[in-house]
Amino acid sequence: MKLVIASNNAHKVAEIKAILAPYFDEILSLRDAGITIDVVEDGDTFEANARKKAEEVLAVAAADAVLSDDSGLMVDALGGAPGVYSARYAGEGHDDAANNAKLLEAMQNVPDDARTCRFVSAIALARRGRETLVRLGKVEGMLLRAPRGTSGFGYDPLFYYVPAGKTFAELDASEKNLVSHRKRGLEAVRAALEEERA
């Protein structure tokens, strides 16, 4: 069984391989598989975007399955924003710093106890002749008023993970990967594959 991961992010590919290796003989990134495709992620949920990307890549891949994820930050005081627009919250072509600055501005008058948020990751596994599996992983946190830490990316410096007493950007990669939303989503997919095997 060959799996293509709909990403070229080396960290993401390594994390997925570590969790799903027992179920596939070969796991490749898009680049490894020789696939160049630009899927427009225009869904209004993480699940819709992950499913669309996995199914469109499977349509052109010489593989048995394709795995895709769509992730972002949901802030309760902003009605779930930035949500599916997390990567482009400050507009197309803007970077993490601009997204974080816009988020801090939107949250400047929100009291500390109302700054609850969560990272969400939807994982979709599209397979030939079978229904696409979609599972969610979430991790709860609090949004800080200023960034802390230099690891990670995106909103990690603002996302305070209470059990660790640190932001995601203050955790090293191995610590973050133990508790991340993507890891939780991947483990839910793994549990579904185990159920199918049973």
Side-chain angles (χ1 to χ4, degrees), residues 171-179:
L171 299 175
D172 67 35
S174 60
E175 290 176 309
K176 180 185 167 187
N177 287 345
L178 287 174
V179 298

Side-chain angles (χ1 to χ4, degrees), residues 20-121:
L20 295 183
Y23 305 93
F24 298 95
D25 304 312
E26 190 177 6
I27 299 179
L28 305 171
S29 69
L30 285 175
R31 190 178 297 110
D32 294 338
I35 297 170
T36 53
I37 184 172
D38 191 19
V39 177
V40 178
E41 295 181 26
D42 54 4
D44 55 6
T45 64
F46 296 117
E47 296 96 322
N49 283 333
R51 179 188 295 274
K52 182 181 181 189
K53 190 170 187 179
E55 291 175 351
E56 288 193 16
V57 173
L58 183 62
V60 299
D64 303 291
V66 170
L67 186 135
S68 169
D69 80 308
D70 190 39
S71 307
L73 179 71
M74 300 183 76
V75 180
D76 293 320
L78 300 178
V84 293
Y85 303 105
S86 290
R88 53 192 187 278
Y89 186 49
E92 293 293 343
H94 285 76
D95 60 7
D96 291 347
N99 288 335
N100 282 322
K102 180 177 179 179
L103 182 59
L104 285 175
E105 186 179 342
M107 290 289 289
Q108 64 184 349
N109 296 321
V110 177
D112 291 348
D113 62 354
R115 298 173 74 87
T116 52
C117 58
R118 70 205 45 80
F119 274 125
V120 179
S121 179

